[in-house]
Amino acid sequence: MFHLLLALLFSAAISLFLKIFSREDGNRYGIIIGNYLTCSVVAFLMLPDKGLLFHAEGTTYLVGIATGLIFIFGMVVTQTSILRNGATLTSAFSKLGLLISLALAILAFGERPRPLQIPGVILVLAAIFLINSKEEGTASEQSGQSRFRSGGLALLLLCFLCSGTGEAMSKVFERVGSRSEDGIFLFLIFFTALVISLFLAEGERRRTGKRLTFKKMASGITVGLPNYFSSFMLLRSLVTLPALLVYPVFSTGSIVVVMLVSTLFLKERITRRQLLGIGLILAALVLLNL
């Protein structure tokens, strides 16, 4: 349980750091490159035997590289969604991706839901509808709703899919991979994402003229440290605890931390319906965990 607690705290830190640093000028992929460069270096240093990196099982390479591709796409979508929808909503939808992880645990790995977990799923779906419903308010709020309808929902749904699939891949590797190659699996994830992000950064430079800046790269380092340890602790949790426990607690804790910090320190306003929707999410995750 200690590993799970650390995983959810590190996960919340990722969204909060992105919220703080995403508005800086320069090539937006600077943060992502700094993030995955940090993750790759830490993952490599954490390998007990560096030589095994070139002699791992084929499953480790396959699942690791596939997860890295999902991660980089998810990171880009998350960064864009935070600018459009705010840290709280983006984090909430990302954590709703646990439905994908739970479905995998049930359908592919034989874990069986308890009776109270079924209404939990229904509450989650109701919360999604509530969070995205229109609430009357000031002109500024209505303008925000207009921006949401013009593309924010698509970004939130992509966050849901990428986060759920990416987190589910840890469970996949926990079942099909070798525990002695956990470190190699994490390195392959982050190194794959780093390589792809370098190509994306070059494409943005050619398209917009924006170059990578040291400030952006340094900001990425602050994101990379919690990113690596969140993935590491989540994988550790899945080794010792069932997925039907790990994913709901992981998501619940992250949402609560992001919501509290964003409201108290980042001055991000939450509408009544959004607050009620997030409350439903938390209630649903509690039911899923019973």
Side-chain angles (χ1 to χ4, degrees):
M1 187 61 72
F2 177 69
H3 291 143
L4 182 54
L5 176 62
L6 290 178
L8 69 87
L9 290 175
F10 284 126
S11 177
I14 296 170
S15 292
L16 292 169
F17 284 145
L18 284 173
K19 172 67 176 179
I20 294 170
F21 296 119
S22 289
R23 295 186 182 277
E24 295 172 358
D25 294 331
N27 192 307
R28 65 172 176 154
Y29 293 105
I31 288 180
I32 295 175
I33 291 173
N35 163 43
Y36 287 123
L37 177 61
T38 302
C39 290
S40 297
V41 171
V42 174
F44 183 76
L45 293 176
M46 293 285 285
L47 290 175
D49 185 350
K50 311 302 190 284
L52 292 178
L53 183 62
F54 303 100
H55 304 284
E57 296 178 2
T59 300
T60 303
Y61 290 115
L62 178 62
V63 181
I65 292 173
T67 307
L69 294 173
I70 296 170
F71 268 34
I72 182 59
F73 182 69
M75 180 65 78
V76 173
V77 170
T78 298
Q79 187 187 50
T80 305
S81 180
I82 286 173
L83 292 175
R84 177 71 63 87
N85 301 307
T88 300
L89 271 179
T90 298
S91 179
F93 268 77
S94 295
K95 299 314 171 187
L96 286 177
L98 72 92
L99 293 175
I100 297 175
S101 303
L102 293 178
L104 180 70
I106 294 169
L107 299 176
F109 300 127
E111 294 189 19
R112 291 292 176 260
R114 292 180 290 276
L116 287 178
Q117 292 176 324
I118 297 174
V121 173
I122 296 174
L123 277 183
V124 166
L125 298 176
I128 293 175
F129 173 79
L130 185 62
I131 288 174
N132 291 286
S133 61
K134 185 175 180 180
E135 179 173 356
E136 297 299 329
T138 64
S140 174
E141 290 168 340
Q142 292 176 3
S143 174
Q145 291 287 351
S146 176
R147 290 195 302 272
F148 176 81
R149 289 196 300 271
S150 67
L153 177 58
L155 287 170
L156 291 172
L157 291 177
L158 284 174
C159 287
F160 165 77
L161 292 172
C162 291
S163 176
T165 305
E167 290 177 2
M169 294 298 281
S170 293
K171 182 62 179 179
V172 171
F173 184 73
E174 187 272 326
R175 285 300 183 96
V176 304
S178 171
R179 297 286 63 76
S180 64
E181 297 185 358
D182 284 353
I184 298 173
F185 168 67
L186 291 174
F187 174 80
L188 289 170
I189 292 174
F190 297 123
F191 187 72
T192 299
L194 172 62
V195 171
I196 300 300
S197 64
L198 288 171
F199 282 103
L200 292 174
E202 177 61 17
E204 174 150 310
R205 185 193 67 78
R206 293 184 178 184
R207 186 174 63 255
T208 66
K210 294 182 178 180
R211 297 179 177 275
L212 295 173
T213 65
F214 175 78
K215 191 174 183 180
K216 278 277 190 179
M217 295 281 288
S219 299
I221 293 174
T222 66
V223 177
L225 290 174
N227 195 8
Y228 170 80
F229 286 107
S230 177
S231 298
F232 178 79
M233 294 299 174
L234 180 62
L235 185 57
R236 281 290 190 89
S237 300
L238 288 168
V239 172
T240 57
L241 297 171
L244 291 177
L245 170 65
V246 170
Y247 287 117
V249 174
F250 180 68
S251 299
T252 301
S254 299
I255 293 172
V256 170
V257 172
V258 170
M259 182 178 66
L260 290 177
V261 174
S262 296
T263 303
L264 296 176
F265 299 103
L266 302 182
K267 308 303 180 183
E268 183 174 301
R269 185 179 181 278
I270 302 176
T271 68
R272 289 186 299 273
R273 290 194 179 186
Q274 289 173 351
L275 187 58
L276 180 56
I278 292 174
L280 286 179
I281 291 172
L282 297 179
L285 294 177
V286 170
L287 290 176
L288 289 169
N289 193 41
L290 291 177

